[in-house]
Amino acid sequence: MAIKGVLRPGFIQIRVLDMGEALVHYLDRIGLHQVSREADGRVYLKGWDEFDHHSIILREADSPGVDLMAFRVMDDAALTEFEMRVKDWGLSVEQVPAGEQPGVGRRIGFEIPSGHRIELYAEIARAEHHPPIVNPDVWHDLPHGMGATRFDHALLYGPHVDQVMHFFVEALDFSLAEQVMMPDGLLAIWLSCGNKAHDIAFVKHPEPGKLHHISFFLESWHDVGRAADIIARYNISLDIGPTRHGITRGQTIYFFDPSGNRNEVFAGGYTYYPDNPTRTWNEQELGKAIFYYEKALNERFLGVVT
Amino acid sequence: MAIKGVLRPGFIQIRVLDMGEALVHYLDRIGLHQVSREADGRVYLKGWDEFDHHSIILREADSPGVDLMAFRVMDDAALTEFEMRVKDWGLSVEQVPAGEQPGVGRRIGFEIPSGHRIELYAEIARAEHHPPIVNPDVWHDLPHGMGATRFDHALLYGPHVDQVMHFFVEALDFSLAEQVMMPDGLLAIWLSCGNKAHDIAFVKHPEPGKLHHISFFLESWHDVGRAADIIARYNISLDIGPTRHGITRGQTIYFFDPSGNRNEVFAGGYTYYPDNPTRTWNEQELGKAIFYYEKALNERFLGVVT
Amino acid sequence: MAIKGVLRPGFIQIRVLDMGEALVHYLDRIGLHQVSREADGRVYLKGWDEFDHHSIILREADSPGVDLMAFRVMDDAALTEFEMRVKDWGLSVEQVPAGEQPGVGRRIGFEIPSGHRIELYAEIARAEHHPPIVNPDVWHDLPHGMGATRFDHALLYGPHVDQVMHFFVEALDFSLAEQVMMPDGLLAIWLSCGNKAHDIAFVKHPEPGKLHHISFFLESWHDVGRAADIIARYNISLDIGPTRHGITRGQTIYFFDPSGNRNEVFAGGYTYYPDNPTRTWNEQELGKAIFYYEKALNERFLGVVT
Amino acid sequence: MAIKGVLRPGFIQIRVLDMGEALVHYLDRIGLHQVSREADGRVYLKGWDEFDHHSIILREADSPGVDLMAFRVMDDAALTEFEMRVKDWGLSVEQVPAGEQPGVGRRIGFEIPSGHRIELYAEIARAEHHPPIVNPDVWHDLPHGMGATRFDHALLYGPHVDQVMHFFVEALDFSLAEQVMMPDGLLAIWLSCGNKAHDIAFVKHPEPGKLHHISFFLESWHDVGRAADIIARYNISLDIGPTRHGITRGQTIYFFDPSGNRNEVFAGGYTYYPDNPTRTWNEQELGKAIFYYEKALNERFLGVVT
């Protein structure tokens, strides 16, 4: 395969304050499917267009936020190789045995300089309700709610964004698709492990380990509009949108889950290749970078993280 | 980078009967931009969202069809490695010196078992009118005509499709995203070198070296509809559409350039990963595979190639 | 009000062979809502964006087709005035007492020269599940299936289309928005009683009283595409589309209900005013008139009626 | 015709500070066509889908704002009848001779209680570049810029909104499609003379004769998004959007012309009938009424008028 190493964002584990409210939000509104609820109370979800067992894990806790984000790598040999490269880069690596999450093989975990736990794994069971394979229809059941196709990426807030960039590029072979460069240095980075403009992104922030948003992919700007209607109809707390990002060109809307975790659903964006120049934004157009139409950041966007 | 080796379809050289008519078609209707016209009469074109110098070469000739399709590889080391792998796989390799096309470095060329000439290259100049890089607007000039963003892929007709599949997978690290398997064997294959469901595709056909269509990417189903309006308004010869492919899920319309070469503009389709199962179609649903709505092939689609 | 007299197509009564299959089709696929099933077996349906009690009546019978199409007029005075005008025009008028359909006041019925029964009425109850009125959300429940907003119009086949045109214009104050004029006379007419390009249409046909299709309005070309996906996924019998009509510019798809009655869902079309010139199509562009992209009629479109 | 009396908003005359800048804005960005520039300096424009000679008149002046808004009535008899009804309602009527604007017949003008000049006329020449009539293509030239199809409506600010409502309903046969009712009375009204949810609207404001915005119709939410891209790319001053109105359900974006006059381009909205209940918004949901997604008014929306 021409794509090697890290394949994609695999799953993310999110803390929610009330599982019942969270499930109404993620299942009925965003349109995910529930895969299983395990004995420890964690609930596993997936988008209708994902083959893997799950991509979102909800864990009930006293505070919202992100526990970990995990990437799927090509195979176990790649996992072993990345383990060495992560250690060589200088991070401590923790082993997570197979089965800690249902259907998932052994994982390695480590804390990156921004204070987030990142994991890698090579094995995951195919979901029972996977997209059809033989004479496949476009979908088996008409997508419901916002029709989220998949967990797409996360934007994380924390310190040492420059080190994080070097780590992902040097140890995990990501590319730097876009960056915001301020007079005092790198403010934000968008990193890609494939043809998507971003698989994970970081913004510089004094407090480590914070979650800005998790993002789900929709098929069109039309679906972004329908998501906005759903947000309004069900009084979901809106952050901003529908709008477009200058960065990645994504057509987007931001809102909050009942626990205060920010969600994004988005469509569009360009096809990225690793030989593309890193698109660079500076302070003159920072507003346009984030919200292409409004050309200004709202305070929530910079300040509210979980 | 997590994408290595072959990056993408780079360019395709097409024969047209009348350069003037061809330019009206590809520039004004499909919405490409002219990069240069060289002394030998070849005209170089690109989509508005492409960084590379060109992606379409038009050559005036007595018969329509395809001269060659070329893929961009990561760097010169990769080119050298692929040269050995192609030879090891058993094909003869021809050297094309840098500068044979404006802005393009050295290429290697070889004829695959379907009778098509495929080339690889590592170096190409950045187009003068490339997408913006610093504080980049979504586009510099509002896309015109159908708004084709890029040359996306080609579907080629020829014999020995099974050997072609083995060649692309074994020598060039492509993945087999979808296939049509008939009782008498493999009829058609869709091959990917990245996250697109297809970068090149082949259908079994007795005559070697034939072109079924070249395809351009549009941003939305809405744009497919607008393309249909343009096709009708300017009396461009329609093949079929707007419709959807079962294969790749692309939302599509087919039509012919003034020389009889088939074109496609399409949008949508899923994000492909190399660990996805190969989606397989059989004779029971062959119609749905090709035209998901009509569920039947028109005779033109199977019989008319250039 | 500036709109007087005939307000809109109110309801249409259709014969179906199997009520169970018909309800799956009209409720789950097209996305209508069931209002009631009456003692005589008739089932009453409406679109999610309609205020009136019902707009579609299904009647189980041995053969498919249309029993009657009814228009809502402004008030009872208008109904009385139209009764006189219809009689003066030369048609016999039959009285239908209030309550023959649930929620509907007195109706007058008459057979027009094409052999179809047309009715007028002024009173109809507001549907229990009407669109919201006070601080109204865009919808109360997310539309399901194809998301049909309303019964929009019907196309009827029968003889004496020129007389029918005169009747609707002279007795009911309709406008002739578009027409197809062949060397041997008027082939087809599209008639409007408001700002829609058509509220009812007729094509010349030797057999009287035939139904070509009933049509439902969708909100966008995107929704036409989704309807096409639903048609393919559930193996609904497709006639043609997604395509566009030259006539009315509607973006459309045609298919058949399980009894063989043709349905259309469509979006778009221009805003019509009664001082607009009658758009006229002739035999040179008859194909483009009907199917703007294909530029040719399929035989089913001309021959299959119920 | 079932539509009688007032047919539609016909034209609006706007004051601009710099004609050159205004023409770039209205022609190149919004996508109108220039019809003529007259000796007195006024420039006449129209949308690509309008039959009438013009719909927008730009007049260079020292302050922005609206001179007058005019409605087309069915015929001269209707004009004469409306003249009497307007006088009977208590307004003074001024005669404007034919030819004061190119192609326009005699007009009557009067000042309504909000301080705006409204005019009526029955005769207007057909534009040279009108939509095609015989075997009509969807468009003759691919719409450019935002692709505004037509002048759709205006929202005017001034006092005595309740009297204005009575005037339009009683003297001109408009319907009240929507209203905002505050504890201290009627705040705003949306009035229809056909099947559109609004042909003119008013918000209560202490200063008479003010313009909130003029509005142009687009064909889809997709086109609203493209308008937003154009606004961002060309640094047009954005007010708000893309968003949706609760009132009328229109999908919309607001921005300012170079003189500070607010413009809207919008798509969607429901089909209105005069027997529909008046949708009523109250103070609990005023934000949602105006901006369905943001659920809050920005100060510009209430305060900035010309």
Side-chain angles (χ1 to χ4, degrees):
Chain A
M1 274 84 21
I3 298 183
K4 296 176 189 294
V6 177
L7 294 184
R8 63 175 166 273
F11 52 78
I12 193 164
Q13 183 167 309
I14 299 295
R15 295 188 300 275
V16 296
L17 304 181
D18 181 293
M19 186 59 76
E21 289 182 357
L23 289 175
V24 168
H25 178 81
Y26 285 100
L27 299 178
D28 296 349
R29 304 303 172 235
I30 293 185
L32 300 178
H33 293 261
Q34 181 169 332
V35 177
S36 72
R37 183 191 291 251
E38 297 298 315
D40 66 1
R42 283 185 292 179
V43 179
Y44 294 81
L45 313 176
K46 69 179 284 288
W48 66 266
D49 207 20
E50 295 179 303
F51 281 99
D52 291 346
H53 184 268
H54 60 265
S55 59
I56 301 288
I57 306 113
L58 301 178
R59 181 172 74 84
E60 204 171 67
D62 290 338
S63 65
V66 57
D67 285 337
L68 63 92
M69 177 166 170
F71 291 87
R72 171 122 191 229
V73 302
M74 194 60 220
D75 51 27
D76 198 73
L79 185 59
T80 299
E81 186 193 328
F82 279 122
E83 183 176 345
M84 293 192 308
R85 292 174 65 184
V86 170
K87 287 177 178 166
D88 287 350
W89 200 86
L91 301 186
S92 301
V93 171
E94 183 192 358
Q95 306 293 328
V96 183
E100 193 276 334
Q101 291 188 8
V104 181
R106 76 175 179 101
R107 291 136 58 191
I108 62 169
F110 39 88
E111 187 180 306
I112 58 174
S114 58
H116 298 92
R117 181 181 176 89
I118 300 294
E119 295 187 349
L120 305 178
Y121 65 98
E123 301 292 333
I124 187 166
R126 187 174 291 168
E128 186 180 358
H129 296 289
H130 57 76
I133 296 170
V134 177
N135 296 329
D137 276 302
V138 168
W139 33 256
H140 187 268
D141 297 302
L142 187 62
H144 67 284
M146 299 183 192
T149 63
R150 65 165 182 262
F151 165 54
D152 187 86
H153 67 269
L155 173 58
L156 306 176
Y157 271 43
H160 309 304
V161 163
D162 48 352
Q163 292 178 40
V164 170
M165 186 267 282
H166 282 287
F167 171 75
F168 273 93
V169 170
E170 296 163 9
L172 300 184
D173 291 337
F174 279 58
S175 299
L176 183 60
E178 305 212 19
Q179 61 184 346
V180 177
M181 186 63 74
M182 300 294 276
D184 63 347
L186 197 58
L187 174 64
I189 54 175
W190 282 258
L191 294 155
S192 172
C193 63
N195 289 134
K196 292 161 51 187
H198 52 349
D199 290 298
I200 190 166
F202 293 87
V203 169
K204 191 170 71 175
H205 186 72
E207 209 180 349
K210 305 308 284 182
L211 170 67
H212 187 270
H213 71 262
I214 59 173
S215 181
F216 302 94
F217 190 70
L218 302 185
E219 295 191 304
S220 69
W221 172 238
H222 179 279
D223 288 350
V224 174
R226 198 172 67 144
D229 289 340
I230 290 171
I231 288 166
R233 167 64 183 83
Y234 292 105
N235 294 304
I236 295 169
S237 176
L238 179 74
D239 185 8
I240 190 168
T243 183
R244 191 197 273 274
H245 297 299
I247 294 165
T248 76
R249 293 191 204 154
Q251 298 169 306
T252 179
I253 187 164
Y254 282 100
F255 51 100
F256 296 97
D257 79 4
S259 305
N261 294 302
R262 190 186 277 97
N263 296 159
E264 179 189 39
V265 290
F266 83 107
Y270 53 82
T271 302
Y272 174 76
Y273 287 99
D275 65 327
N276 284 175
T278 295
R279 285 153 161 104
T280 300
W281 299 81
N282 57 39
E283 60 178 342
Q284 278 76 37
E285 295 286 5
L286 182 56
K288 202 168 182 174
I290 306 298
F291 298 124
Y292 190 64
Y293 301 146
E294 293 79 3
K295 295 184 185 171
L297 296 172
N298 64 22
E299 291 189 14
R300 274 193 310 273
F301 194 83
L302 285 178
V304 176
V305 290
T306 56
Chain B
M1 274 84 22
I3 298 182
K4 296 176 187 292
V6 177
L7 294 185
R8 64 176 165 272
F11 52 77
I12 192 163
Q13 184 167 309
I14 298 295
R15 297 188 299 275
V16 297
L17 304 181
D18 181 294
M19 187 60 76
E21 289 182 356
L23 289 175
V24 169
H25 178 82
Y26 285 100
L27 299 178
D28 296 350
R29 304 301 172 236
I30 293 185
L32 300 178
H33 294 262
Q34 181 169 332
V35 177
S36 73
R37 183 192 291 252
E38 298 297 316
D40 65 2
R42 284 185 291 179
V43 179
Y44 295 79
L45 314 176
K46 69 179 284 289
W48 65 267
D49 206 20
E50 294 179 304
F51 283 99
D52 290 347
H53 184 268
H54 60 264
S55 58
I56 301 288
I57 306 113
L58 301 178
R59 182 171 74 83
E60 204 170 69
D62 291 338
S63 64
V66 56
D67 285 338
L68 63 92
M69 177 166 170
F71 290 88
R72 171 124 191 227
V73 303
M74 194 61 221
D75 51 27
D76 198 73
L79 186 58
T80 300
E81 186 194 328
F82 280 122
E83 183 176 345
M84 292 194 309
R85 292 175 65 182
V86 169
K87 286 176 178 166
D88 286 350
W89 200 86
L91 301 185
S92 302
V93 171
E94 183 191 357
Q95 305 293 328
V96 183
E100 194 276 334
Q101 291 188 7
V104 181
R106 75 175 181 99
R107 291 136 57 190
I108 62 169
F110 40 87
E111 187 180 307
I112 58 174
S114 58
H116 298 91
R117 182 181 175 89
I118 300 294
E119 296 187 349
L120 304 178
Y121 65 99
E123 301 292 332
I124 187 166
R126 187 174 292 168
E128 186 180 358
H129 296 289
H130 57 75
I133 297 170
V134 178
N135 296 331
D137 276 303
V138 169
W139 33 255
H140 187 270
D141 297 303
L142 187 63
H144 67 284
M146 298 183 193
T149 63
R150 65 165 182 263
F151 165 53
D152 187 86
H153 68 270
L155 173 58
L156 306 176
Y157 271 42
H160 308 304
V161 163
D162 46 353
Q163 292 178 39
V164 170
M165 185 268 281
H166 282 287
F167 172 75
F168 273 93
V169 170
E170 295 163 9
L172 300 183
D173 291 336
F174 279 58
S175 300
L176 183 61
E178 304 211 20
Q179 61 183 344
V180 177
M181 186 64 73
M182 300 295 275
D184 63 345
L186 198 57
L187 174 64
I189 55 176
W190 283 258
L191 293 155
S192 172
C193 63
N195 290 135
K196 292 162 50 188
H198 51 350
D199 290 298
I200 191 166
F202 293 88
V203 170
K204 191 169 72 174
H205 186 74
E207 210 179 350
K210 305 308 283 184
L211 171 67
H212 187 271
H213 71 264
I214 58 172
S215 181
F216 302 94
F217 190 70
L218 303 184
E219 295 190 304
S220 68
W221 171 238
H222 180 278
D223 288 351
V224 174
R226 199 171 68 144
D229 289 341
I230 290 171
I231 288 165
R233 167 65 183 82
Y234 292 106
N235 292 304
I236 295 169
S237 177
L238 178 73
D239 185 8
I240 190 168
T243 183
R244 190 197 274 276
H245 296 299
I247 294 165
T248 77
R249 293 193 206 152
Q251 298 169 307
T252 179
I253 186 164
Y254 282 99
F255 51 101
F256 296 97
D257 80 4
S259 305
N261 295 301
R262 190 185 278 97
N263 296 159
E264 179 189 39
V265 291
F266 83 107
Y270 53 83
T271 301
Y272 174 76
Y273 287 99
D275 65 326
N276 285 174
T278 296
R279 284 153 161 104
T280 300
W281 299 81
N282 57 38
E283 59 178 344
Q284 278 76 37
E285 295 285 4
L286 182 56
K288 201 168 182 175
I290 306 300
F291 297 125
Y292 190 64
Y293 301 147
E294 294 79 3
K295 296 184 185 171
L297 296 172
N298 66 20
E299 290 190 15
R300 275 194 309 273
F301 195 83
L302 284 177
V304 176
V305 290
T306 57
Chain C
M1 274 81 26
I3 298 183
K4 296 177 187 293
V6 177
L7 294 185
R8 64 176 166 273
F11 53 77
I12 192 164
Q13 183 167 309
I14 299 296
R15 295 188 300 274
V16 296
L17 304 182
D18 180 293
M19 186 60 76
E21 290 182 356
L23 288 176
V24 168
H25 178 81
Y26 285 99
L27 299 179
D28 296 349
R29 305 301 171 236
I30 293 186
L32 301 178
H33 294 261
Q34 181 169 332
V35 177
S36 72
R37 183 192 290 252
E38 298 297 316
D40 65 1
R42 285 185 291 179
V43 179
Y44 295 80
L45 313 176
K46 69 179 285 289
W48 65 266
D49 207 21
E50 294 178 304
F51 282 100
D52 290 348
H53 184 269
H54 60 265
S55 60
I56 301 288
I57 306 113
L58 301 179
R59 180 170 75 83
E60 204 170 68
D62 291 337
S63 65
V66 55
D67 284 338
L68 63 92
M69 177 168 169
F71 291 88
R72 170 120 191 232
V73 303
M74 194 61 221
D75 52 25
D76 198 73
L79 186 58
T80 300
E81 185 193 330
F82 280 122
E83 183 176 345
M84 293 193 308
R85 290 175 65 183
V86 170
K87 286 177 179 166
D88 286 351
W89 199 86
L91 300 187
S92 301
V93 170
E94 183 192 359
Q95 306 294 327
V96 182
E100 193 277 334
Q101 291 188 7
V104 181
R106 75 176 180 101
R107 291 135 59 191
I108 63 170
F110 40 87
E111 187 180 306
I112 58 174
S114 58
H116 298 92
R117 180 180 176 91
I118 300 294
E119 296 187 349
L120 305 177
Y121 64 99
E123 301 292 333
I124 186 166
R126 186 174 293 168
E128 187 180 358
H129 297 288
H130 57 75
I133 297 170
V134 178
N135 297 329
D137 276 304
V138 168
W139 33 256
H140 187 269
D141 298 301
L142 187 63
H144 67 285
M146 298 183 192
T149 63
R150 65 166 181 260
F151 165 54
D152 188 87
H153 67 269
L155 172 58
L156 306 176
Y157 271 43
H160 309 304
V161 162
D162 47 353
Q163 292 178 40
V164 170
M165 186 268 282
H166 283 287
F167 171 76
F168 273 93
V169 170
E170 295 162 10
L172 301 183
D173 291 335
F174 280 58
S175 299
L176 182 62
E178 304 213 19
Q179 62 183 343
V180 177
M181 185 64 74
M182 299 295 277
D184 63 346
L186 198 57
L187 174 64
I189 54 175
W190 283 259
L191 293 155
S192 172
C193 64
N195 290 134
K196 292 164 48 188
H198 52 349
D199 291 297
I200 192 167
F202 293 87
V203 170
K204 190 169 71 175
H205 186 73
E207 209 179 350
K210 305 307 284 183
L211 170 67
H212 187 270
H213 70 263
I214 59 172
S215 182
F216 302 93
F217 189 70
L218 302 184
E219 294 190 304
S220 69
W221 172 238
H222 180 279
D223 288 350
V224 174
R226 198 170 68 143
D229 289 340
I230 291 171
I231 289 165
R233 166 64 182 84
Y234 293 105
N235 293 304
I236 295 169
S237 176
L238 179 74
D239 185 8
I240 191 168
T243 184
R244 192 197 272 275
H245 297 300
I247 294 164
T248 77
R249 294 192 205 154
Q251 297 169 306
T252 179
I253 186 165
Y254 282 99
F255 52 100
F256 295 96
D257 79 4
S259 305
N261 294 303
R262 192 186 277 97
N263 296 159
E264 179 189 39
V265 290
F266 82 107
Y270 54 82
T271 302
Y272 174 76
Y273 288 99
D275 65 327
N276 284 175
T278 295
R279 285 154 161 102
T280 300
W281 299 81
N282 57 40
E283 60 178 342
Q284 278 76 37
E285 296 285 4
L286 181 56
K288 202 168 182 173
I290 306 298
F291 298 124
Y292 190 63
Y293 301 146
E294 293 79 3
K295 295 183 184 171
L297 297 172
N298 65 20
E299 289 190 15
R300 274 194 310 274
F301 194 84
L302 284 178
V304 176
V305 291
T306 56
Chain D
M1 273 82 24
I3 298 182
K4 296 176 188 293
V6 177
L7 293 185
R8 63 175 165 273
F11 52 78
I12 191 163
Q13 183 167 309
I14 299 296
R15 296 187 300 275
V16 296
L17 303 182
D18 181 292
M19 186 59 76
E21 289 181 357
L23 288 176
V24 169
H25 178 82
Y26 286 100
L27 298 178
D28 296 349
R29 304 301 172 237
I30 293 185
L32 300 179
H33 293 262
Q34 181 169 332
V35 177
S36 73
R37 184 192 289 253
E38 298 297 316
D40 64 1
R42 284 185 291 180
V43 179
Y44 295 78
L45 313 176
K46 70 179 284 289
W48 66 266
D49 207 21
E50 294 179 305
F51 282 99
D52 289 348
H53 184 268
H54 60 264
S55 59
I56 300 288
I57 306 113
L58 301 178
R59 180 171 75 84
E60 204 170 68
D62 292 336
S63 64
V66 56
D67 285 339
L68 62 92
M69 178 168 169
F71 291 87
R72 171 125 190 226
V73 303
M74 194 60 220
D75 52 27
D76 199 74
L79 186 58
T80 300
E81 185 193 328
F82 280 121
E83 183 176 347
M84 293 194 308
R85 291 175 64 184
V86 170
K87 286 177 179 167
D88 288 350
W89 199 86
L91 301 186
S92 300
V93 171
E94 183 192 358
Q95 305 294 327
V96 183
E100 193 275 335
Q101 291 188 6
V104 181
R106 75 176 181 99
R107 291 136 57 193
I108 62 169
F110 41 86
E111 186 181 307
I112 58 174
S114 59
H116 298 92
R117 180 180 175 90
I118 300 294
E119 295 187 350
L120 304 178
Y121 64 99
E123 300 292 332
I124 187 165
R126 186 175 292 169
E128 186 181 358
H129 297 289
H130 57 75
I133 296 170
V134 178
N135 297 329
D137 276 303
V138 168
W139 34 256
H140 187 269
D141 298 302
L142 187 62
H144 67 283
M146 297 183 194
T149 62
R150 65 165 182 263
F151 165 54
D152 188 86
H153 68 271
L155 172 58
L156 305 175
Y157 272 42
H160 308 305
V161 163
D162 47 352
Q163 291 178 42
V164 170
M165 185 269 281
H166 282 288
F167 171 75
F168 274 92
V169 170
E170 294 163 9
L172 301 183
D173 292 335
F174 279 58
S175 300
L176 182 62
E178 305 212 19
Q179 62 183 345
V180 177
M181 186 62 75
M182 299 295 276
D184 64 346
L186 197 58
L187 174 65
I189 54 175
W190 282 259
L191 292 155
S192 172
C193 64
N195 290 135
K196 293 163 49 188
H198 52 349
D199 290 298
I200 191 166
F202 293 87
V203 169
K204 190 170 72 174
H205 187 72
E207 210 179 349
K210 306 306 285 182
L211 171 66
H212 186 272
H213 71 262
I214 59 172
S215 182
F216 302 93
F217 190 70
L218 302 185
E219 294 190 303
S220 69
W221 171 237
H222 179 279
D223 288 351
V224 174
R226 199 171 67 144
D229 289 340
I230 290 171
I231 289 165
R233 166 65 183 84
Y234 292 106
N235 293 304
I236 295 169
S237 176
L238 178 73
D239 184 8
I240 190 169
T243 184
R244 191 197 272 276
H245 296 299
I247 294 165
T248 75
R249 294 192 206 154
Q251 298 169 306
T252 179
I253 186 164
Y254 282 99
F255 51 100
F256 295 96
D257 79 5
S259 305
N261 294 302
R262 190 185 279 96
N263 296 160
E264 178 189 41
V265 290
F266 82 107
Y270 53 82
T271 302
Y272 174 76
Y273 288 99
D275 64 326
N276 284 175
T278 295
R279 285 153 162 103
T280 301
W281 299 81
N282 57 40
E283 59 177 344
Q284 278 76 36
E285 295 286 3
L286 182 56
K288 201 168 183 175
I290 305 298
F291 297 125
Y292 189 63
Y293 300 147
E294 294 79 2
K295 296 184 185 171
L297 296 172
N298 66 21
E299 289 191 13
R300 275 193 309 274
F301 194 84
L302 284 178
V304 177
V305 292
T306 56

